[in-house]
Amino acid sequence: MKEHFSDIKHIWEELEKFEDITPFSTYTWADNWLKIWRKTAYILSVKVSGTIAGLAPFIDTMGKLRFIGYNNSDYLGFLFRPGHEQDFLEGLADELAGKNITLLDLEHMPEKFRDIKINGYEKSCFMQDVCPYITLPDSWDAYKAGLNKRFRKNIEYYWRRVNRDFNIKYEVVNKEQDVKPTLLRMVELHQKRWRSKRLPGAFYSKKIIQFHLNAAVDLFIKGYLDLHRLIINEEIAAVLYCFHKNRSTYYYIGGFDDAYKNMSIGVLLTSAAIKTSIERKDNIFDFLRGNESYKDNFCSEKRYNYRLVFHKGLLAGMRARVIEKGNSVIGAVKAHFES
């Protein structure tokens, strides 16, 4: 059945606790996204034996259903109780049929969703993004031993150099009042670097910045924010905007002061964040979507996310083909900038 967004908060937050639900599928992320972009949720629930077995967190845009947060998120998907995937998908098909939905455009779905089927719909599946990640070992020494020897030596050299020449401090933000100032500094550093390349950067609008400021504070309160920063001579010189949930760290984006680029402070802060993840016994450090070459220095494992388009009927099939062509164009542009 279709649910009002605020009415299912307790169910959503219960389902999001399961291990494979990422921060981008949490109620907090969705709530902030809907408010900033002034969208109305189109939430479908499926009940099994009187209990909600899963949720489909959609919005309706121009006659097609998309996931909440489709343009700012990674690893989106359905939320369902373990062991109830098939029950949920069968119930979802019934819900969609009853509402005469002919097109679903579902982006950034992890590999576990790639082979799902929804009864009554044809499916098109496109690989959307490469997502590099690290399966973390038990110790920092074990991780370093697996790195390229030259890269490992560079990390050690630059740590010695910055500690010799500057007053330096690494920390993970642990006070709510530090979240917004740190994130604003990251935005400033990120945008300055990208605009020097005559590119818009990720935070090109006030709306995007406000979304992340609001979401970051709420995620901090929930315990999902992981904001790493490097302070040099009492000034924030580098920030990694990450999330942490169920023994996984997700590296979303960063900002680094180009005044220290000859000391590779981005590499140093990333290595410090990985070390922190290892020390708290995380399983995964995920660099999320994007096949940028710098990630190859830190990891060799890769997985993919997918765009699944479900359609039925002639008109929806035509729209699905347009989506496929658009996805190919976007993929080519990404490949150009990631190379």
Side-chain angles (χ1 to χ4, degrees), residues 63 96 100-104 121 310-313 315-317 319:
L96 293 169
N100 197 31
I101 302 296
T102 62
L103 183 63
L104 295 85
Y121 289 82
F310 294 91
H311 53 95
K312 62 179 176 180
L315 179 58
R319 294 181 70 186

Side-chain angles (χ1 to χ4, degrees), residues 9 35 44 101-102 122 137 198 210 272 289 316:
K9 179 180 180 182
K35 287 175 180 176
L44 297 179
I101 302 296
T102 62
E122 295 183 59
R198 299 185 179 180
Q210 193 60 54
R289 56 187 161 111

Side-chain angles (χ1 to χ4, degrees), residues 52 116 168-169 215 224 229 330:
I52 292 181
I116 64 170
I168 184 170
K169 180 171 65 172
Y224 295 150
R229 62 186 187 181
I330 293 170

Side-chain angles (χ1 to χ4, degrees), residues 162 166 232-233 235 237 257-266:
V162 295
F166 302 100
I232 300 178
N233 290 348
E235 183 176 49
D257 192 337
D258 274 344
Y260 302 100
K261 66 181 179 181
N262 64 336
M263 297 185 185
S264 299
I265 60 170

Side-chain angles (χ1 to χ4, degrees), residues 52-191:
I52 292 181
L55 298 173
F58 296 140
I59 59 169
D60 186 343
T61 62
M62 297 182 292
K64 68 178 178 180
L65 297 186
R66 309 182 79 171
F67 283 130
I68 296 170
Y70 66 89
N71 61 343
N72 299 91
S73 309
D74 296 60
Y75 297 148
L76 294 171
F78 304 116
L79 298 93
F80 46 77
R81 299 183 190 279
H84 285 282
E85 177 180 356
Q86 194 56 41
D87 294 332
F88 170 76
L89 291 173
E90 290 174 2
L92 178 62
D94 294 338
E95 290 288 332
L96 293 169
K99 294 171 175 56
N100 197 31
I101 302 296
T102 62
L103 183 63
L104 295 85
D105 181 11
L106 309 181
E107 298 188 63
H108 309 307
M109 300 191 78
E111 290 179 343
K112 68 173 183 173
F113 290 114
R114 180 179 56 183
D115 297 325
I116 64 170
K117 298 178 181 179
I118 300 178
N119 295 335
Y121 289 82
E122 295 183 59
K123 183 180 82 172
S124 302
C125 178
F126 324 122
M127 196 277 281
Q128 197 166 17
D129 292 291
V130 181
C131 305
Y133 70 100
I134 307 167
T135 300
L136 295 171
D138 293 333
S139 71
W140 173 241
D141 286 341
Y143 171 71
K144 285 197 302 179
L147 295 175
N148 172 276
K149 183 177 180 180
R150 182 176 180 181
F151 183 62
R152 182 175 69 247
K153 294 295 185 183
N154 283 342
I155 292 174
E156 294 168 350
Y157 166 73
Y158 284 118
W159 272 122
R160 289 195 301 271
R161 184 175 170 186
V162 295
N163 277 288
R164 181 195 67 197
D165 296 342
F166 302 100
N167 177 15
I168 184 170
K169 180 171 65 172
Y170 159 71
E171 60 187 17
V172 182
V173 169
N174 60 11
K175 296 179 181 177
E176 183 180 338
Q177 61 264 34
D178 290 337
V179 171
K180 285 188 176 181
T182 301
L183 201 62
L184 283 171
R185 177 61 172 162
M186 187 273 294
V187 170
E188 175 192 355
L189 294 171
H190 175 90
Q191 289 301 108

Side-chain angles (χ1 to χ4, degrees), residues 180-273:
K180 285 188 176 181
T182 301
L183 201 62
L184 283 171
R185 177 61 172 162
M186 187 273 294
V187 170
E188 175 192 355
L189 294 171
H190 175 90
Q191 289 301 108
K192 182 178 180 181
R193 191 173 192 182
W194 281 89
R195 285 173 179 165
S196 70
K197 302 175 183 179
R198 299 185 179 180
L199 293 169
F203 302 96
Y204 56 84
S205 75
K206 291 181 179 179
K207 186 177 288 190
I208 292 173
I209 295 170
Q210 193 60 54
F211 163 68
H212 285 288
L213 289 174
N214 295 349
V217 171
D218 289 346
L219 289 166
F220 177 87
I221 293 170
K222 293 285 291 183
Y224 295 150
L225 184 68
D226 213 28
L227 201 55
H228 303 258
R229 62 186 187 181
L230 203 62
I231 299 172
I232 300 178
N233 290 348
E234 308 302 322
E235 183 176 49
I236 298 172
V239 180
L240 292 191
Y241 179 28
C242 303
F243 309 108
H244 182 253
K245 185 177 182 294
N246 293 338
R247 299 184 70 183
S248 290
T249 295
Y250 303 87
Y251 173 6
Y252 188 75
I253 203 165
F256 316 103
D257 192 337
D258 274 344
Y260 302 100
K261 66 181 179 181
N262 64 336
M263 297 185 185
S264 299
I265 60 170
V267 169
L268 295 185
L269 185 54
T270 303
S271 67

